[in-house]
Each structure stands twice: as C-alpha cells, then as structure tokens.
Amino acid sequence: MSSILDNIKAAAAEIEGGAAFALPQVIHVEPGALQQVIPYVAAQGWERPVLVADEHTLKVAGASLELACREAGISVHTTLVLPNAQGDVIADEASVVQVLLDIQKVKADSVIVAGSGTLHDVARYAAYTAAIPFVSVPTAPSVDGFTSNGSPLIIRGNKITIPAAGPVAIFADTELLRKAPAPMVAAGFGDMLGKYTSLFDWKFGRLTADEPYAPAVAAITEKALLACVNHAEEIGNHTELGIRVLTEALIESGLAILLFGQSHSASGAEHHLSHYWEMEYIRTGRRQLLHGAKVGVACAEISALYHELADTQGLADKDQWAQVLKEISGLPSPEMLRGLLRTVHGPSTLEELGVDADLLRRSLQEAHFIRMNRHTLLRARNEGKIAGAAAE
C-alpha cells in the first residue's frame, strides 16, 4: 500500500498552501492484515490500549485482537459501544462519552477500533479528545471515512462534523472484509458512486462561487471511483480483487479529503440528502439505514435532478451555464447509476431503500442547509439562482 501513500505525497506537492495533515504511518490492505495489528501496537510500546467494538465486530475481529494482546502481554480493555433504543449503534454524544469514560478509567495510551464507519467516528473523536493515537481495523468496506480527521456526530439530533484525528495505522484484512455482510459491501460501493455528483458539485462551486479547488485531489478521487465502477461485478461477487479494489478506493478517497482539508471531493448534494434522511430517521425513532446505501440512491436522485435542470434556462451568466451543461453531460444517467447499484446487490431506488416520496421532496428543498459553506447545484436551484428551477 506504499503506492497510495506515495500518490498522496506526490499530490500534496502540487497543492500550493494545502492543508496540514498527518498521514497514517502504515496502510495494509491484504489477506492476513489482522495478524499484524498487535505486533504494531507492541512495537509502539503501547501498554494499555482500549479496544472499541460492538457486539458484532467483537465476534469477527475484536475477540482475536483481545487474545493477541493477552498473548503479547498487553493489558487491553474492551469497550463495547451500546446500541440505542432502536438497536442501532450510532455516533452520538452517548457513544463518545462511553468510550471516553473507559479511556479515563484505565488511563489508556492508545485506541484500537474494530468496526466500520460509525465506530470509527466514535473512536477517533474519543482518541482525539484524550490526545492518544488510534489504529483502524475495518471490519467492512462500507465507507470512505476510515482515514478522516473529522467525526460526523449526532449531537442533540443534529449531524455535525467535529475535528478529530486520523489513524496512525490501518490494517484492512481482505480475508475478513470479504466476509462482511453483502449490504455493507454494497454500501461502500454506494459511497464511492456518490463521488460522481460530489465531484460535479465541487466543480460547480468552483465555477459559480469561487470555491477552493485542487485538481490533484479531484483526480485521486475520480481514479478511485472509476476503479470501483470498472470492478463492479467483482465487488458484487466479493472476490479478493473486488474487495481489495473497493477498500483501496475508500481509503484513497478518505486520504484525498485529508490532503485537501475539506470533504468537497467526496461529499456533495448526495451526502446532504443522506444526512437529512439520517436526522429524520433519528427524530422519528426509526432504525437507521446504511450511510453508503443512502448515498448511492441519493446520487441517482441528484443525477436525475441535475439532468432535468440542464433543460432549464440556466444561470444568468450564459458562459457559466454552458460550462455547467458540459459537466452535467458527463454525469451518468440515473438509470446507469441504479444499474451499477444492482450489480453490487444494493438498493437502487427509494422504494428499495425505504425512503418515501415526501421525505425526498423535503430533503431536495432543505438538505442544502446542512452545509451552508457548500455551493452545490442543489443549493443554487433552491435559492432560485437557476432560472425557472426554484424549489416548490
């Protein structure tokens, strides 16, 4: 995986005044990577790690990490993050405090997180707050947030991203990841598929609102996206190649965010819809949907909207609109996007996902308020900047 780190370092050299960031020391995406975690911990001289997991990830990875710690003479404390009343483990203030209390209780010198996106969001913020390093052990290739230096947390029912710290090391065992539940693999693919519309929105923001832009970061993200699209069948079949391609793509997308210092490359209107739906489900006490599953379906809905907007009168600035139309023409159709989601056996429509038409309508009108520092085409449409396309 040195090639990923080398690519990020090369891209960093191309970004004038780029963000200050710390790369992971090591990234292993390969069969048997799980067995390398505790030797790494021992080599760092850590003696009191807290292992963050839930009841499911403890079985698939946490228990073997516990055993390896004990055999290495390392005193490990395991924190099983508790689910909420609906049975979901969520990244909220209660989960963060639970981990922080255990870190304080055992005077932990490090955190190992065995899990997918939610547990990483909880663990990274707890480790950051305690000023100790954390190691990432993904148990499903489900999100691109493993390397993130921010934690999207639900605070009093609202989703906000809070600064945190990225992992010092990532150990992604493809043998383990191939056994991940099919919906989680499909969710990881959906998270990557959303880069089609996030990359478009980033270009739109640069063009119409002078948002900062880094071609090298966009190129890394686009390459990772296309690798997933070109290996969709392998990903859907959980082959070693497919899972490795997906996992590496998710890590590369996350590192691109880290490099730029903001998530423009990986999060546009499709993510704003996903966050809106998540907050609505929490508010109404419903079971959560997988993040990437929401993003994939939202990407198809945003693509449909943007292609529809291409037939309107457009922006007052005709030259700008001509450039926007060119970019929209490069967006895959919603039918193509839904076909790719079906290839990896994920939900491809609102009905399959479980989001009703009224929630879609409200989110298309209001989701841009979630990130008012982003100038997406959805926001422009809702603010009446696209002639004839103001939200109803």
Side-chain angles (χ1 to χ4, degrees):
M1 288 299 291
S2 60
S3 60
I4 287 183
L5 292 175
D6 290 342
N7 290 341
I8 294 297
K9 291 174 182 177
E14 299 180 27
I15 301 177
E16 185 176 352
F21 63 98
L23 288 172
Q25 297 172 356
V26 296
I27 300 175
H28 292 291
V29 181
E30 59 196 14
L34 189 65
Q35 282 69 53
Q36 302 177 50
V37 177
I38 304 310
Y40 174 84
V41 170
Q44 305 310 304
W46 300 335
E47 299 177 344
R48 298 179 306 280
V50 161
L51 172 64
V52 177
D54 62 26
E55 63 176 348
H56 302 293
T57 65
L58 180 68
K59 296 175 184 176
V60 299
S64 65
L65 291 172
E66 280 183 328
L67 178 60
C69 275
R70 295 192 183 99
E71 291 176 344
I74 297 171
S75 178
V76 64
H77 175 88
T78 299
T79 299
L80 291 184
V81 179
L82 300 175
N84 64 8
Q86 286 71 45
D88 294 316
V89 173
I90 63 173
D92 63 358
E93 54 266 76
S95 298
V96 169
V97 168
Q98 183 190 349
V99 176
L100 274 173
L101 289 175
D102 281 358
I103 288 174
Q104 293 169 355
K105 180 173 67 176
V106 302
K107 296 181 172 57
D109 55 11
S110 56
V111 171
I112 306 168
V113 54
S116 55
T118 296
L119 288 174
H120 273 70
D121 290 334
V122 172
R124 86 172 70 255
Y125 184 68
Y128 171 76
T129 302
I132 56 177
F134 88 94
V135 171
S136 163
V137 183
T139 56
S142 54
V143 293
D144 68 355
F146 298 121
T147 62
S148 177
N149 62 353
S151 284
L153 301 176
I154 300 293
I155 305 297
R156 294 184 179 271
N158 292 314
K159 189 158 192 171
I160 59 175
T161 299
I162 302 172
V168 296
I170 302 173
F171 296 90
D173 191 325
T174 51
E175 290 179 341
L176 173 67
L177 297 175
R178 288 183 66 187
K179 299 174 184 176
M184 299 195 79
V185 174
F189 183 86
D191 202 12
M192 287 305 304
L193 201 66
K195 308 322 173 202
Y196 272 123
T197 45
S198 65
L199 287 169
F200 167 85
D201 274 329
W202 194 14
K203 292 176 183 177
F204 180 82
R206 174 191 59 168
L207 181 65
T208 63
D210 199 29
E211 285 192 342
Y213 189 79
V217 171
I220 290 170
T221 307
E222 183 176 29
K223 182 179 178 181
L225 161 63
L226 294 178
C228 291
V229 170
N230 292 334
H231 291 85
E233 288 192 9
E234 290 93 337
I235 292 169
N237 291 328
H238 294 209
T239 68
E240 201 282 330
L241 172 62
I243 296 303
R244 177 169 52 80
V245 166
L246 175 59
T247 303
E248 291 182 354
L250 291 165
I251 290 173
E252 286 173 327
S253 175
L255 288 175
I257 297 171
L258 196 64
L259 172 59
F260 187 62
Q262 300 183 68
S263 61
H264 292 72
S265 59
S267 175
E270 77 296 324
H271 269 68
H272 303 161
L273 291 192
S274 172
H275 295 331
Y276 188 100
W277 299 344
E278 179 179 2
M279 290 188 292
E280 175 71 6
Y281 272 47
I282 289 174
R283 185 184 68 81
T284 56
R286 299 169 66 182
R287 291 294 303 269
Q288 280 299 305
L289 304 171
L290 289 172
H291 169 75
K294 290 179 293 185
V295 168
V297 172
C299 178
E301 295 297 331
I302 291 296
S303 171
L305 175 65
Y306 286 3
H307 280 289
E308 179 183 335
L309 292 178
D311 296 328
T312 70
Q313 296 178 19
L315 296 166
D317 186 321
K318 301 301 181 183
D319 290 337
Q320 274 190 346
W321 187 241
Q323 295 178 64
V324 170
L325 286 176
K326 180 179 178 182
E327 296 296 339
I328 292 176
S329 69
L331 274 179
S333 68
E335 292 76 21
M336 175 182 170
L337 294 169
R338 293 188 179 109
L340 286 165
L341 291 170
R342 287 192 293 271
T343 298
V344 299
H345 313 297
S348 63
T349 65
L350 291 170
E351 292 77 17
E352 292 171 356
L353 182 64
V355 171
D356 62 49
D358 180 65
L359 179 54
L360 173 67
R361 178 188 59 79
R362 287 188 284 120
S363 62
L364 287 174
Q365 293 175 350
E366 302 170 4
H368 67 283
F369 288 115
I370 290 173
R371 295 296 297 272
M372 286 300 289
N373 62 338
R374 298 292 170 81
H375 295 270
T376 65
L377 179 55
L378 178 65
R379 175 179 172 179
R381 171 251 199 186
N382 289 345
E383 293 178 344
K385 295 177 181 177
I386 306 297
E392 296 178 0

